[in-house]
Amino acid sequence: MKRGSFYTKKHMDPKTNKMGSESKQGEKTRVLVVGATGYIGKSIVRACLAEGHETYVLQRPEIGVDVEKVQLLLSFKKLGARIVEASFSDHQSLVSAVKLVDVVVSAMSGVHIRSHSILFQLKLVEAIKEAGNVKRFLPSEFGMDPPRMGHALPPGRETFDQKMEVRKAIEAAGIQYTYVVGACFAGYMAGGLCQMVALLPPKKKINIYGDGNVKVVYADEDDIAKYTAKTLNDPRTLNKTVSIRPPDNVLTQLELVQIWEKLTGNELEKTNIAAQDFLANIEQMEISHQAAIGHFYHIFYEGCLTDHEVGEDEEASCLYPDVQYKRMDDYLRMYL
């Protein structure tokens, strides 16, 4: 495939001494966001628009009378996004949608506590293959790196198995890709100081996983979206995995708790939970809860986000130092 207007020419701005980009032919990258009204999807849409991409948003008929999602789509339209109607039950409508763009980004949910839609992406792969014009596909990833999770506990392993199935289909179809992985969504993890059933910081008592000293990666969802928007037309990230691992946000659970304690001036009563106790009776719980416990175990006991090296050419904050990512001490201030 020839590198035409889709690829950007990097240049040094003499005023800022930073790397910038310009299209070889002055054209914008056209990107379709699937799952745009979801948790991370809405941030990706806004980031793509802010990055200057010509942004299309997939509207599915299943939206029905979900007024919040309709209002969200209309807000995207006001910001300059273009709404495209298509359905996963109508292959030709998907083909028509992807023919409009250079890049497809999927933000479909892959967690059991929300809708679990990973394998719907196989229909996107089929549509992209038939359309023949899409230069890159970014499937829904953003968390733990699936190839490293073959040992994961069931039923949470299903998420990684399905993501691998999608990856294999992408590569078998000869579709170029970028996989964005590596961080915990701060809204899910940092806000509740990593507690299983809370999204807000506890006031008096807190559970600490093991000794609390396993390194974890946290990232603000808007920062994840910014990095994603920058990768999608960067030749350095073509057919590669990009890890989001901003160095100041690689923290143990105890370090995160200590940040909160310093902000509030209040020390929490801590209870250490041994691994065997954390996993006790897991088989008797609801499937969604079993999956969540398994994921927490791999993150906070095994350290699956930080137990491997990531090169500078593979890490988002190194690739895009112009993104001033939000540190967790700043992030947690909004919970005060």
Side-chain angles (χ1 to χ4, degrees), residues 212-249:
N213 289 317
V214 172
K215 291 287 187 179
V216 177
V217 185
Y218 306 92
D220 182 287
E221 287 81 349
D222 287 342
D223 291 336
I224 293 172
K226 289 174 186 177
Y227 289 132
T228 300
K230 286 182 175 293
T231 66
L232 58 83
N233 66 348
D234 186 346
R236 297 174 300 173
T237 63
L238 187 65
N239 294 335
K240 290 185 178 179
T241 296
V242 174
S243 294
I244 296 175
R245 193 184 285 189
D248 289 346
N249 286 352

PDB file of all heavy atoms in Angstrom, residues 212-249:
ATOM      1  N   GLY A 212      -0.243  -4.213  48.966  1.00  0.00           N
ATOM      2  CA  GLY A 212      -0.541  -2.916  48.346  1.00  0.00           C
ATOM      3  C   GLY A 212       0.594  -2.316  47.562  1.00  0.00           C
ATOM      4  O   GLY A 212       0.540  -1.139  47.171  1.00  0.00           O
ATOM      5  N   ASN A 213       1.638  -3.105  47.284  1.00  0.00           N
ATOM      6  CA  ASN A 213       2.841  -2.555  46.658  1.00  0.00           C
ATOM      7  C   ASN A 213       3.066  -2.997  45.211  1.00  0.00           C
ATOM      8  O   ASN A 213       4.160  -2.849  44.680  1.00  0.00           O
ATOM      9  CB  ASN A 213       4.073  -2.912  47.497  1.00  0.00           C
ATOM     10  CG  ASN A 213       4.103  -2.128  48.800  1.00  0.00           C
ATOM     11  OD1 ASN A 213       3.831  -0.928  48.804  1.00  0.00           O
ATOM     12  ND2 ASN A 213       4.420  -2.796  49.905  1.00  0.00           N
ATOM     13  N   VAL A 214       2.030  -3.539  44.576  1.00  0.00           N
ATOM     14  CA  VAL A 214       2.127  -3.912  43.163  1.00  0.00           C
ATOM     15  C   VAL A 214       1.861  -2.675  42.308  1.00  0.00           C
ATOM     16  O   VAL A 214       0.888  -1.946  42.536  1.00  0.00           O
ATOM     17  CB  VAL A 214       1.115  -5.023  42.813  1.00  0.00           C
ATOM     18  CG1 VAL A 214       1.074  -5.285  41.317  1.00  0.00           C
ATOM     19  CG2 VAL A 214       1.466  -6.299  43.572  1.00  0.00           C
ATOM     20  N   LYS A 215       2.719  -2.418  41.348  1.00  0.00           N
ATOM     21  CA  LYS A 215       2.582  -1.241  40.495  1.00  0.00           C
ATOM     22  C   LYS A 215       1.423  -1.417  39.501  1.00  0.00           C
ATOM     23  O   LYS A 215       1.274  -2.469  38.881  1.00  0.00           O
ATOM     24  CB  LYS A 215       3.871  -0.974  39.722  1.00  0.00           C
ATOM     25  CG  LYS A 215       5.041  -0.505  40.584  1.00  0.00           C
ATOM     26  CD  LYS A 215       4.837   0.939  41.049  1.00  0.00           C
ATOM     27  CE  LYS A 215       6.084   1.464  41.777  1.00  0.00           C
ATOM     28  NZ  LYS A 215       5.908   2.879  42.214  1.00  0.00           N
ATOM     29  N   VAL A 216       0.626  -0.371  39.373  1.00  0.00           N
ATOM     30  CA  VAL A 216      -0.547  -0.352  38.497  1.00  0.00           C
ATOM     31  C   VAL A 216      -0.485   0.930  37.672  1.00  0.00           C
ATOM     32  O   VAL A 216       0.076   1.933  38.110  1.00  0.00           O
ATOM     33  CB  VAL A 216      -1.849  -0.392  39.339  1.00  0.00           C
ATOM     34  CG1 VAL A 216      -3.085  -0.300  38.457  1.00  0.00           C
ATOM     35  CG2 VAL A 216      -1.887  -1.656  40.190  1.00  0.00           C
ATOM     36  N   VAL A 217      -1.066   0.897  36.474  1.00  0.00           N
ATOM     37  CA  VAL A 217      -1.101   2.073  35.612  1.00  0.00           C
ATOM     38  C   VAL A 217      -2.514   2.656  35.604  1.00  0.00           C
ATOM     39  O   VAL A 217      -3.482   1.943  35.335  1.00  0.00           O
ATOM     40  CB  VAL A 217      -0.696   1.734  34.161  1.00  0.00           C
ATOM     41  CG1 VAL A 217      -0.632   3.010  33.320  1.00  0.00           C
ATOM     42  CG2 VAL A 217       0.628   0.995  34.127  1.00  0.00           C
ATOM     43  N   TYR A 218      -2.608   3.955  35.902  1.00  0.00           N
ATOM     44  CA  TYR A 218      -3.890   4.649  35.870  1.00  0.00           C
ATOM     45  C   TYR A 218      -3.821   5.737  34.803  1.00  0.00           C
ATOM     46  O   TYR A 218      -2.785   6.371  34.609  1.00  0.00           O
ATOM     47  CB  TYR A 218      -4.195   5.309  37.221  1.00  0.00           C
ATOM     48  CG  TYR A 218      -4.130   4.372  38.394  1.00  0.00           C
ATOM     49  CD1 TYR A 218      -2.951   4.201  39.113  1.00  0.00           C
ATOM     50  CD2 TYR A 218      -5.249   3.647  38.797  1.00  0.00           C
ATOM     51  CE1 TYR A 218      -2.882   3.335  40.195  1.00  0.00           C
ATOM     52  CE2 TYR A 218      -5.191   2.778  39.878  1.00  0.00           C
ATOM     53  CZ  TYR A 218      -4.004   2.635  40.571  1.00  0.00           C
ATOM     54  OH  TYR A 218      -3.930   1.770  41.642  1.00  0.00           O
ATOM     55  N   ALA A 219      -4.949   5.981  34.132  1.00  0.00           N
ATOM     56  CA  ALA A 219      -4.979   7.058  33.139  1.00  0.00           C
ATOM     57  C   ALA A 219      -6.371   7.662  33.071  1.00  0.00           C
ATOM     58  O   ALA A 219      -7.374   6.938  33.091  1.00  0.00           O
ATOM     59  CB  ALA A 219      -4.554   6.551  31.761  1.00  0.00           C
ATOM     60  N   ASP A 220      -6.410   8.968  33.024  1.00  0.00           N
ATOM     61  CA  ASP A 220      -7.659   9.679  32.805  1.00  0.00           C
ATOM     62  C   ASP A 220      -8.216   9.273  31.440  1.00  0.00           C
ATOM     63  O   ASP A 220      -7.471   9.172  30.462  1.00  0.00           O
ATOM     64  CB  ASP A 220      -7.386  11.189  32.845  1.00  0.00           C
ATOM     65  CG  ASP A 220      -8.629  12.023  32.670  1.00  0.00           C
ATOM     66  OD1 ASP A 220      -9.127  12.080  31.526  1.00  0.00           O
ATOM     67  OD2 ASP A 220      -9.100  12.627  33.639  1.00  0.00           O
ATOM     68  N   GLU A 221      -9.521   9.044  31.382  1.00  0.00           N
ATOM     69  CA  GLU A 221     -10.140   8.576  30.143  1.00  0.00           C
ATOM     70  C   GLU A 221      -9.938   9.566  28.996  1.00  0.00           C
ATOM     71  O   GLU A 221      -9.764   9.158  27.838  1.00  0.00           O
ATOM     72  CB  GLU A 221     -11.637   8.328  30.371  1.00  0.00           C
ATOM     73  CG  GLU A 221     -11.931   7.086  31.206  1.00  0.00           C
ATOM     74  CD  GLU A 221     -11.800   7.274  32.700  1.00  0.00           C
ATOM     75  OE1 GLU A 221     -11.266   8.331  33.157  1.00  0.00           O
ATOM     76  OE2 GLU A 221     -12.217   6.369  33.448  1.00  0.00           O
ATOM     77  N   ASP A 222      -9.938  10.861  29.294  1.00  0.00           N
ATOM     78  CA  ASP A 222      -9.713  11.852  28.241  1.00  0.00           C
ATOM     79  C   ASP A 222      -8.289  11.753  27.687  1.00  0.00           C
ATOM     80  O   ASP A 222      -8.062  11.980  26.498  1.00  0.00           O
ATOM     81  CB  ASP A 222      -9.976  13.262  28.766  1.00  0.00           C
ATOM     82  CG  ASP A 222     -11.459  13.534  28.965  1.00  0.00           C
ATOM     83  OD1 ASP A 222     -12.292  12.800  28.392  1.00  0.00           O
ATOM     84  OD2 ASP A 222     -11.797  14.498  29.689  1.00  0.00           O
ATOM     85  N   ASP A 223      -7.337  11.413  28.545  1.00  0.00           N
ATOM     86  CA  ASP A 223      -5.958  11.244  28.078  1.00  0.00           C
ATOM     87  C   ASP A 223      -5.822   9.989  27.214  1.00  0.00           C
ATOM     88  O   ASP A 223      -5.116  10.000  26.199  1.00  0.00           O
ATOM     89  CB  ASP A 223      -4.995  11.168  29.265  1.00  0.00           C
ATOM     90  CG  ASP A 223      -4.871  12.500  29.994  1.00  0.00           C
ATOM     91  OD1 ASP A 223      -5.134  13.545  29.369  1.00  0.00           O
ATOM     92  OD2 ASP A 223      -4.525  12.488  31.191  1.00  0.00           O
ATOM     93  N   ILE A 224      -6.499   8.912  27.607  1.00  0.00           N
ATOM     94  CA  ILE A 224      -6.505   7.707  26.780  1.00  0.00           C
ATOM     95  C   ILE A 224      -7.045   8.037  25.395  1.00  0.00           C
ATOM     96  O   ILE A 224      -6.502   7.609  24.369  1.00  0.00           O
ATOM     97  CB  ILE A 224      -7.350   6.601  27.444  1.00  0.00           C
ATOM     98  CG1 ILE A 224      -6.681   6.116  28.736  1.00  0.00           C
ATOM     99  CG2 ILE A 224      -7.563   5.424  26.485  1.00  0.00           C
ATOM    100  CD1 ILE A 224      -7.541   5.166  29.555  1.00  0.00           C
ATOM    101  N   ALA A 225      -8.106   8.835  25.364  1.00  0.00           N
ATOM    102  CA  ALA A 225      -8.708   9.228  24.093  1.00  0.00           C
ATOM    103  C   ALA A 225      -7.758  10.090  23.266  1.00  0.00           C
ATOM    104  O   ALA A 225      -7.663   9.931  22.040  1.00  0.00           O
ATOM    105  CB  ALA A 225     -10.012   9.970  24.349  1.00  0.00           C
ATOM    106  N   LYS A 226      -7.051  11.014  23.916  1.00  0.00           N
ATOM    107  CA  LYS A 226      -6.102  11.872  23.201  1.00  0.00           C
ATOM    108  C   LYS A 226      -4.997  11.045  22.556  1.00  0.00           C
ATOM    109  O   LYS A 226      -4.630  11.265  21.394  1.00  0.00           O
ATOM    110  CB  LYS A 226      -5.497  12.900  24.158  1.00  0.00           C
ATOM    111  CG  LYS A 226      -6.465  13.979  24.606  1.00  0.00           C
ATOM    112  CD  LYS A 226      -5.818  14.872  25.667  1.00  0.00           C
ATOM    113  CE  LYS A 226      -6.813  15.866  26.249  1.00  0.00           C
ATOM    114  NZ  LYS A 226      -6.206  16.688  27.328  1.00  0.00           N
ATOM    115  N   TYR A 227      -4.447  10.105  23.314  1.00  0.00           N
ATOM    116  CA  TYR A 227      -3.397   9.251  22.759  1.00  0.00           C
ATOM    117  C   TYR A 227      -3.939   8.430  21.585  1.00  0.00           C
ATOM    118  O   TYR A 227      -3.270   8.281  20.557  1.00  0.00           O
ATOM    119  CB  TYR A 227      -2.854   8.314  23.839  1.00  0.00           C
ATOM    120  CG  TYR A 227      -2.019   8.993  24.894  1.00  0.00           C
ATOM    121  CD1 TYR A 227      -2.251   8.757  26.253  1.00  0.00           C
ATOM    122  CD2 TYR A 227      -0.978   9.843  24.547  1.00  0.00           C
ATOM    123  CE1 TYR A 227      -1.474   9.367  27.227  1.00  0.00           C
ATOM    124  CE2 TYR A 227      -0.198  10.464  25.520  1.00  0.00           C
ATOM    125  CZ  TYR A 227      -0.454  10.224  26.862  1.00  0.00           C
ATOM    126  OH  TYR A 227       0.320  10.825  27.821  1.00  0.00           O
ATOM    127  N   THR A 228      -5.156   7.908  21.739  1.00  0.00           N
ATOM    128  CA  THR A 228      -5.767   7.116  20.675  1.00  0.00           C
ATOM    129  C   THR A 228      -5.917   7.942  19.409  1.00  0.00           C
ATOM    130  O   THR A 228      -5.588   7.489  18.304  1.00  0.00           O
ATOM    131  CB  THR A 228      -7.140   6.585  21.126  1.00  0.00           C
ATOM    132  OG1 THR A 228      -6.972   5.764  22.292  1.00  0.00           O
ATOM    133  CG2 THR A 228      -7.796   5.761  20.030  1.00  0.00           C
ATOM    134  N   ALA A 229      -6.393   9.177  19.550  1.00  0.00           N
ATOM    135  CA  ALA A 229      -6.598  10.053  18.398  1.00  0.00           C
ATOM    136  C   ALA A 229      -5.285  10.381  17.695  1.00  0.00           C
ATOM    137  O   ALA A 229      -5.266  10.589  16.477  1.00  0.00           O
ATOM    138  CB  ALA A 229      -7.297  11.335  18.838  1.00  0.00           C
ATOM    139  N   LYS A 230      -4.192  10.411  18.444  1.00  0.00           N
ATOM    140  CA  LYS A 230      -2.896  10.706  17.839  1.00  0.00           C
ATOM    141  C   LYS A 230      -2.287   9.498  17.134  1.00  0.00           C
ATOM    142  O   LYS A 230      -1.553   9.648  16.158  1.00  0.00           O
ATOM    143  CB  LYS A 230      -1.932  11.241  18.907  1.00  0.00           C
ATOM    144  CG  LYS A 230      -2.240  12.676  19.324  1.00  0.00           C
ATOM    145  CD  LYS A 230      -1.247  13.190  20.340  1.00  0.00           C
ATOM    146  CE  LYS A 230      -1.511  14.655  20.650  1.00  0.00           C
ATOM    147  NZ  LYS A 230      -1.255  15.547  19.503  1.00  0.00           N
ATOM    148  N   THR A 231      -2.596   8.296  17.620  1.00  0.00           N
ATOM    149  CA  THR A 231      -1.985   7.109  17.005  1.00  0.00           C
ATOM    150  C   THR A 231      -2.561   6.791  15.637  1.00  0.00           C
ATOM    151  O   THR A 231      -1.883   6.209  14.795  1.00  0.00           O
ATOM    152  CB  THR A 231      -2.189   5.851  17.877  1.00  0.00           C
ATOM    153  OG1 THR A 231      -3.576   5.515  17.935  1.00  0.00           O
ATOM    154  CG2 THR A 231      -1.650   6.055  19.280  1.00  0.00           C
ATOM    155  N   LEU A 232      -3.812   7.169  15.399  1.00  0.00           N
ATOM    156  CA  LEU A 232      -4.522   6.582  14.267  1.00  0.00           C
ATOM    157  C   LEU A 232      -4.016   6.999  12.892  1.00  0.00           C
ATOM    158  O   LEU A 232      -4.346   6.360  11.893  1.00  0.00           O
ATOM    159  CB  LEU A 232      -6.031   6.813  14.400  1.00  0.00           C
ATOM    160  CG  LEU A 232      -6.570   8.236  14.499  1.00  0.00           C
ATOM    161  CD1 LEU A 232      -6.737   8.879  13.151  1.00  0.00           C
ATOM    162  CD2 LEU A 232      -7.915   8.202  15.240  1.00  0.00           C
ATOM    163  N   ASN A 233      -3.228   8.060  12.819  1.00  0.00           N
ATOM    164  CA  ASN A 233      -2.607   8.387  11.525  1.00  0.00           C
ATOM    165  C   ASN A 233      -1.099   8.572  11.648  1.00  0.00           C
ATOM    166  O   ASN A 233      -0.473   9.229  10.818  1.00  0.00           O
ATOM    167  CB  ASN A 233      -3.255   9.626  10.902  1.00  0.00           C
ATOM    168  CG  ASN A 233      -2.998  10.885  11.719  1.00  0.00           C
ATOM    169  OD1 ASN A 233      -2.539  10.816  12.859  1.00  0.00           O
ATOM    170  ND2 ASN A 233      -3.314  12.040  11.148  1.00  0.00           N
ATOM    171  N   ASP A 234      -0.522   7.961  12.664  1.00  0.00           N
ATOM    172  CA  ASP A 234       0.919   8.041  12.896  1.00  0.00           C
ATOM    173  C   ASP A 234       1.588   6.802  12.311  1.00  0.00           C
ATOM    174  O   ASP A 234       1.326   5.684  12.766  1.00  0.00           O
ATOM    175  CB  ASP A 234       1.176   8.125  14.404  1.00  0.00           C
ATOM    176  CG  ASP A 234       2.639   8.351  14.745  1.00  0.00           C
ATOM    177  OD1 ASP A 234       3.505   8.183  13.852  1.00  0.00           O
ATOM    178  OD2 ASP A 234       2.936   8.691  15.910  1.00  0.00           O
ATOM    179  N   PRO A 235       2.449   6.962  11.307  1.00  0.00           N
ATOM    180  CA  PRO A 235       3.098   5.781  10.707  1.00  0.00           C
ATOM    181  C   PRO A 235       3.948   4.992  11.691  1.00  0.00           C
ATOM    182  O   PRO A 235       4.194   3.809  11.487  1.00  0.00           O
ATOM    183  CB  PRO A 235       3.943   6.372   9.576  1.00  0.00           C
ATOM    184  CG  PRO A 235       4.066   7.820   9.867  1.00  0.00           C
ATOM    185  CD  PRO A 235       2.840   8.217  10.625  1.00  0.00           C
ATOM    186  N   ARG A 236       4.370   5.624  12.790  1.00  0.00           N
ATOM    187  CA  ARG A 236       5.188   4.918  13.784  1.00  0.00           C
ATOM    188  C   ARG A 236       4.394   3.845  14.527  1.00  0.00           C
ATOM    189  O   ARG A 236       4.987   2.937  15.117  1.00  0.00           O
ATOM    190  CB  ARG A 236       5.756   5.911  14.803  1.00  0.00           C
ATOM    191  CG  ARG A 236       6.703   6.949  14.234  1.00  0.00           C
ATOM    192  CD  ARG A 236       7.096   7.964  15.289  1.00  0.00           C
ATOM    193  NE  ARG A 236       5.922   8.678  15.807  1.00  0.00           N
ATOM    194  CZ  ARG A 236       5.970   9.519  16.841  1.00  0.00           C
ATOM    195  NH1 ARG A 236       7.117   9.735  17.471  1.00  0.00           N
ATOM    196  NH2 ARG A 236       4.875  10.141  17.248  1.00  0.00           N
ATOM    197  N   THR A 237       3.068   3.981  14.529  1.00  0.00           N
ATOM    198  CA  THR A 237       2.238   3.049  15.298  1.00  0.00           C
ATOM    199  C   THR A 237       1.505   2.054  14.407  1.00  0.00           C
ATOM    200  O   THR A 237       0.694   1.271  14.907  1.00  0.00           O
ATOM    201  CB  THR A 237       1.213   3.825  16.145  1.00  0.00           C
ATOM    202  OG1 THR A 237       0.324   4.535  15.278  1.00  0.00           O
ATOM    203  CG2 THR A 237       1.911   4.810  17.066  1.00  0.00           C
ATOM    204  N   LEU A 238       1.796   2.075  13.109  1.00  0.00           N
ATOM    205  CA  LEU A 238       1.108   1.181  12.186  1.00  0.00           C
ATOM    206  C   LEU A 238       1.514  -0.266  12.437  1.00  0.00           C
ATOM    207  O   LEU A 238       2.699  -0.600  12.499  1.00  0.00           O
ATOM    208  CB  LEU A 238       1.431   1.569  10.740  1.00  0.00           C
ATOM    209  CG  LEU A 238       0.644   0.830   9.651  1.00  0.00           C
ATOM    210  CD1 LEU A 238      -0.838   1.164   9.733  1.00  0.00           C
ATOM    211  CD2 LEU A 238       1.189   1.186   8.266  1.00  0.00           C
ATOM    212  N   ASN A 239       0.508  -1.130  12.588  1.00  0.00           N
ATOM    213  CA  ASN A 239       0.715  -2.559  12.852  1.00  0.00           C
ATOM    214  C   ASN A 239       1.539  -2.796  14.121  1.00  0.00           C
ATOM    215  O   ASN A 239       2.355  -3.714  14.184  1.00  0.00           O
ATOM    216  CB  ASN A 239       1.376  -3.242  11.654  1.00  0.00           C
ATOM    217  CG  ASN A 239       0.470  -3.250  10.436  1.00  0.00           C
ATOM    218  OD1 ASN A 239      -0.753  -3.184  10.557  1.00  0.00           O
ATOM    219  ND2 ASN A 239       1.061  -3.302   9.256  1.00  0.00           N
ATOM    220  N   LYS A 240       1.280  -1.972  15.130  1.00  0.00           N
ATOM    221  CA  LYS A 240       1.984  -2.091  16.403  1.00  0.00           C
ATOM    222  C   LYS A 240       1.009  -1.979  17.571  1.00  0.00           C
ATOM    223  O   LYS A 240      -0.106  -1.498  17.430  1.00  0.00           O
ATOM    224  CB  LYS A 240       3.056  -1.006  16.534  1.00  0.00           C
ATOM    225  CG  LYS A 240       4.247  -1.193  15.599  1.00  0.00           C
ATOM    226  CD  LYS A 240       5.313  -0.158  15.880  1.00  0.00           C
ATOM    227  CE  LYS A 240       6.529  -0.358  14.987  1.00  0.00           C
ATOM    228  NZ  LYS A 240       7.575   0.667  15.248  1.00  0.00           N
ATOM    229  N   THR A 241       1.487  -2.434  18.727  1.00  0.00           N
ATOM    230  CA  THR A 241       0.761  -2.231  19.980  1.00  0.00           C
ATOM    231  C   THR A 241       1.349  -1.023  20.684  1.00  0.00           C
ATOM    232  O   THR A 241       2.566  -0.923  20.852  1.00  0.00           O
ATOM    233  CB  THR A 241       0.890  -3.467  20.885  1.00  0.00           C
ATOM    234  OG1 THR A 241       0.267  -4.592  20.248  1.00  0.00           O
ATOM    235  CG2 THR A 241       0.228  -3.229  22.233  1.00  0.00           C
ATOM    236  N   VAL A 242       0.494  -0.096  21.070  1.00  0.00           N
ATOM    237  CA  VAL A 242       0.912   1.097  21.807  1.00  0.00           C
ATOM    238  C   VAL A 242       0.402   0.970  23.244  1.00  0.00           C
ATOM    239  O   VAL A 242      -0.794   0.789  23.465  1.00  0.00           O
ATOM    240  CB  VAL A 242       0.364   2.384  21.161  1.00  0.00           C
ATOM    241  CG1 VAL A 242       0.693   3.601  22.028  1.00  0.00           C
ATOM    242  CG2 VAL A 242       0.923   2.557  19.758  1.00  0.00           C
ATOM    243  N   SER A 243       1.313   1.052  24.195  1.00  0.00           N
ATOM    244  CA  SER A 243       0.944   0.955  25.611  1.00  0.00           C
ATOM    245  C   SER A 243       0.833   2.347  26.216  1.00  0.00           C
ATOM    246  O   SER A 243       1.690   3.201  25.987  1.00  0.00           O
ATOM    247  CB  SER A 243       1.990   0.154  26.381  1.00  0.00           C
ATOM    248  OG  SER A 243       1.998  -1.200  25.961  1.00  0.00           O
ATOM    249  N   ILE A 244      -0.233   2.552  26.970  1.00  0.00           N
ATOM    250  CA  ILE A 244      -0.390   3.802  27.719  1.00  0.00           C
ATOM    251  C   ILE A 244       0.170   3.568  29.114  1.00  0.00           C
ATOM    252  O   ILE A 244      -0.414   2.847  29.922  1.00  0.00           O
ATOM    253  CB  ILE A 244      -1.871   4.218  27.766  1.00  0.00           C
ATOM    254  CG1 ILE A 244      -2.379   4.516  26.350  1.00  0.00           C
ATOM    255  CG2 ILE A 244      -2.057   5.427  28.682  1.00  0.00           C
ATOM    256  CD1 ILE A 244      -3.850   4.828  26.267  1.00  0.00           C
ATOM    257  N   ARG A 245       1.332   4.170  29.363  1.00  0.00           N
ATOM    258  CA  ARG A 245       1.997   3.970  30.656  1.00  0.00           C
ATOM    259  C   ARG A 245       2.674   5.271  31.079  1.00  0.00           C
ATOM    260  O   ARG A 245       3.899   5.357  31.199  1.00  0.00           O
ATOM    261  CB  ARG A 245       3.008   2.830  30.575  1.00  0.00           C
ATOM    262  CG  ARG A 245       3.497   2.357  31.931  1.00  0.00           C
ATOM    263  CD  ARG A 245       4.563   1.289  31.823  1.00  0.00           C
ATOM    264  NE  ARG A 245       4.054  -0.014  31.453  1.00  0.00           N
ATOM    265  CZ  ARG A 245       4.775  -1.147  31.459  1.00  0.00           C
ATOM    266  NH1 ARG A 245       6.048  -1.102  31.847  1.00  0.00           N
ATOM    267  NH2 ARG A 245       4.229  -2.286  31.090  1.00  0.00           N
ATOM    268  N   PRO A 246       1.890   6.333  31.338  1.00  0.00           N
ATOM    269  CA  PRO A 246       2.481   7.610  31.751  1.00  0.00           C
ATOM    270  C   PRO A 246       3.229   7.439  33.065  1.00  0.00           C
ATOM    271  O   PRO A 246       2.644   6.993  34.058  1.00  0.00           O
ATOM    272  CB  PRO A 246       1.265   8.532  31.894  1.00  0.00           C
ATOM    273  CG  PRO A 246       0.085   7.622  32.013  1.00  0.00           C
ATOM    274  CD  PRO A 246       0.427   6.380  31.278  1.00  0.00           C
ATOM    275  N   PRO A 247       4.512   7.752  33.105  1.00  0.00           N
ATOM    276  CA  PRO A 247       5.360   7.357  34.242  1.00  0.00           C
ATOM    277  C   PRO A 247       4.888   7.853  35.601  1.00  0.00           C
ATOM    278  O   PRO A 247       5.000   7.127  36.599  1.00  0.00           O
ATOM    279  CB  PRO A 247       6.736   7.933  33.871  1.00  0.00           C
ATOM    280  CG  PRO A 247       6.479   8.922  32.786  1.00  0.00           C
ATOM    281  CD  PRO A 247       5.282   8.457  32.059  1.00  0.00           C
ATOM    282  N   ASP A 248       4.342   9.064  35.679  1.00  0.00           N
ATOM    283  CA  ASP A 248       3.909   9.578  36.975  1.00  0.00           C
ATOM    284  C   ASP A 248       2.628   8.918  37.475  1.00  0.00           C
ATOM    285  O   ASP A 248       2.238   9.115  38.632  1.00  0.00           O
ATOM    286  CB  ASP A 248       3.700  11.091  36.903  1.00  0.00           C
ATOM    287  CG  ASP A 248       5.016  11.840  36.786  1.00  0.00           C
ATOM    288  OD1 ASP A 248       6.079  11.225  37.019  1.00  0.00           O
ATOM    289  OD2 ASP A 248       4.994  13.045  36.464  1.00  0.00           O
ATOM    290  N   ASN A 249       1.968   8.158  36.591  1.00  0.00           N
ATOM    291  CA  ASN A 249       0.735   7.475  36.974  1.00  0.00           C
ATOM    292  C   ASN A 249       0.930   5.970  37.140  1.00  0.00           C
ATOM    293  O   ASN A 249      -0.043   5.218  37.186  1.00  0.00           O
ATOM    294  CB  ASN A 249      -0.371   7.744  35.954  1.00  0.00           C
ATOM    295  CG  ASN A 249      -0.924   9.145  36.069  1.00  0.00           C
ATOM    296  OD1 ASN A 249      -0.606   9.881  36.996  1.00  0.00           O
ATOM    297  ND2 ASN A 249      -1.757   9.523  35.119  1.00  0.00           N
TER     298      ASN A 249
END
